[in-house]
Amino acid sequence: MRTAFAWVVGIVTAVATILVVVNLVVALGAPVWIDFGETIIVTQGSGRYAYEEEIDGTSTALGLAVTVLSIMLGARAGMAVHARRLDGGLSAKSRIDFRACFFGVAAYGFIGTLLYAAIGEKDGILIVLHNLLQLGALVLIFVLFKRWRDRKHRGGDMKPAGVDGNGARRGPRSARTVKWATRDNNRFSHLPPDF
């Protein structure tokens, strides 16, 4: 029963978040959907796997970000109800991963909105430039938030093995640490033993 209730809470939270945020964003003047004004036929795929699809509009980067963020919040709400804990029963590392994904998607939506405001609904080379800049922003956001997440997983900035935060050598390692550091040809010696 608790699982079914958690699913209902998650779905209702996701749908309510999408509706509220989309209406708020549209009221502020940022587009979440580009309406083509007519139905057009688009070929998806290539070769023998190609198929034609009729579409009448497309989502902007902000619209995609709002949808993904709403689904993420709905999933967390459902997990919190199921686990009967606000953190959803997630480990500290999973919470860091969730935050990295959440803020990464939010940053992508924000940058996509800025690019759309700068370039808009243009044709030709400007739309190609817009798409390339959006792709570049997505890659940059991924790299930055992955580095942030990896630093958080390690518990701070990356430090060489055997050196404390001030650059001084630490004392002798325990037998457990030495055994752990020699595992896998010392490939992970810069990580703490409990990683």
Side-chain angles (χ1 to χ4, degrees), residues 17 22 33 36 50 57 60 80 105 117 126 160 174 189:
T17 305
V22 164
W33 179 260
F36 295 151
T60 62
V105 171
L126 286 179
S174 67
S189 61

Side-chain angles (χ1 to χ4, degrees), residues 6-28:
W7 272 95
V8 169
V9 167
I11 292 170
V12 167
T13 302
V15 170
T17 305
I18 287 174
L19 293 175
V20 168
V21 174
V22 164
N23 286 328
L24 178 68
V25 166
V26 169
L28 293 174

